[in-house]
Amino acid sequence: MSEPVTGISRDDVVHLAGLARIDLSDAELDHLATELPAILEHVASVQEVAGDDVPAMSHPVPVDNVFREDVVRPSLSPEDALAAAPASDQQRFLVPKILGES
């Protein structure tokens, strides 16, 4: 069994939330500071069960991409595609900036 996870402070949660660009309220930060150790313990217990003979996977069942031939077909012109857009510039949709990026 793995060692219990301890020592996750509210400041650690603030740091993690900042890295993930998640805006959390004070109540959510306090709550997660107490919940994260338990979550990490559960992750550690799952990692113990998954031995070297268990392959890593992203899905519980195999997933295969289905490819089709890439065929050029008639489509909208840039003008038609942008006709109902609230704003456009140089044949591109203009959208609000997000995440404080320039």
Side-chain angles (χ1 to χ4, degrees):
M1 191 80 179
S2 62
E3 293 292 320
V5 178
T6 59
I8 295 179
S9 69
R10 187 177 189 280
D11 288 339
D12 293 332
V13 177
V14 170
H15 178 71
L16 290 171
L19 292 174
R21 296 182 183 223
I22 299 172
D23 187 23
L24 298 174
S25 68
D26 286 339
E28 291 170 321
L29 291 169
D30 293 336
H31 178 74
L32 284 173
T34 60
E35 292 292 317
L36 272 177
I39 293 168
L40 293 175
E41 285 178 28
H42 290 296
V43 170
S45 67
V46 169
Q47 287 175 331
E48 287 177 5
V49 174
D52 293 337
D53 59 332
V54 178
M57 61 174 61
S58 62
H59 299 282
V61 295
V63 176
D64 295 317
N65 283 333
V66 179
F67 294 101
R68 63 173 170 75
E69 188 176 339
D70 192 10
V71 178
V72 176
R73 298 184 291 183
S75 61
L76 295 174
S77 68
E79 294 78 21
D80 289 339
L82 295 168
S88 64
D89 183 35
Q90 298 179 1
Q91 294 188 341
R92 296 186 179 106
F93 292 97
L94 285 179
V95 296
K97 292 180 183 178
I98 60 168
L99 305 176
E101 296 175 355
S102 56

